[in-house]
């Protein structure tokens, strides 16, 4: 088996909360992913999200620059409300090395505008 992946596949989940981004923007990102993967993707509507899953596509047929650019735009589009979790793995599958990307915008556990320690609260050691 070689060190360079022979195939690529992608899974992206787009939360559709009332906040941003709009369904129109999500549709644009899906269209960009469709171009990057030459149309080899499925779109699933979920209760509070839209999920895109691609087929395993030969790496030379995937526009990796367009893929990375779209992932950056997704991250920017969710920046106000979510952090982007992007996992990239290389896995052997059917005798071939497959690059698998999983992209999920995740709401932070604590709001970003909240200070990490409330004012006036101090450690007993202080």
């Amino acid at each position: 088996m070689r060190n360079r992946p022979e195939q690529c596949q992608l899974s992206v989940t787009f939360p559709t909360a009332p906040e941003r981004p709009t369904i129109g923007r999500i549709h644009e990102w899906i269209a960009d992913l469709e171009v990057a993967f030459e149309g080899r993707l499925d779109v699933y509507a979920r209760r509070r999200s839209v999920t895109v899953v691609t087929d395993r596509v030969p790496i030379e047929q995937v526009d990796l620059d367009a893929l990375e650019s779209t992932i950056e735009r997704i991250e920017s589009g969710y920046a106000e409300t979510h952090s982007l979790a992007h996992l990239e793995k290389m896995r052997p599958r059917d005798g071939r090395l497959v690059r698998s990307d999983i992209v999920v915008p995740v709401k932070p556990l604590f709001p970003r505008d909240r200070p990490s320690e409330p004012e006036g609260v101090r450690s007993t050691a202080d």
Side-chain angles (χ1 to χ4, degrees), residues 5-8 40 55-63 96:
E6 297 174 61
Q7 296 180 331
C8 185
R40 297 181 185 174
D55 295 338
R56 285 180 296 184
V57 177
I59 197 84
E60 60 273 358
Q61 292 179 6
V62 177
D63 186 341
R96 296 183 172 157

Side-chain angles (χ1 to χ4, degrees), residues 36-75:
F37 279 86
E38 296 186 345
R40 297 181 185 174
L41 57 82
D42 295 312
V43 179
Y44 302 98
R46 305 282 188 224
R47 186 167 183 209
R48 292 189 175 120
S49 66
V50 174
T51 300
V52 172
V53 179
T54 69
D55 295 338
R56 285 180 296 184
V57 177
I59 197 84
E60 60 273 358
Q61 292 179 6
V62 177
D63 186 341
L64 294 174
D65 292 332
L67 172 61
E68 293 300 325
S69 175
T70 303
I71 291 172
E72 287 172 8
R73 288 194 309 279
I74 293 167
E75 182 173 28

Side-chain angles (χ1 to χ4, degrees), residues 26-114:
I26 292 171
H27 183 270
E28 289 172 13
W29 294 329
I30 292 170
D32 293 342
L33 293 171
E34 190 169 25
V35 169
F37 279 86
E38 296 186 345
R40 297 181 185 174
L41 57 82
D42 295 312
V43 179
Y44 302 98
R46 305 282 188 224
R47 186 167 183 209
R48 292 189 175 120
S49 66
V50 174
T51 300
V52 172
V53 179
T54 69
D55 295 338
R56 285 180 296 184
V57 177
I59 197 84
E60 60 273 358
Q61 292 179 6
V62 177
D63 186 341
L64 294 174
D65 292 332
L67 172 61
E68 293 300 325
S69 175
T70 303
I71 291 172
E72 287 172 8
R73 288 194 309 279
I74 293 167
E75 182 173 28
S76 176
Y78 279 99
E80 290 183 27
T81 57
H82 294 71
S83 297
L84 195 71
H86 179 188
L87 178 63
E88 182 182 320
K89 287 190 152 200
M90 301 291 181
R91 300 176 183 192
R93 194 145 202 210
D94 299 329
R96 296 183 172 157
L97 190 58
V98 179
R99 171 184 163 169
S100 296
D101 287 80
I102 300 165
V103 178
V104 181
V106 180
K107 279 202 167 223
L109 191 56
F110 301 103
R112 291 186 179 138
D113 58 349
R114 193 174 108 193

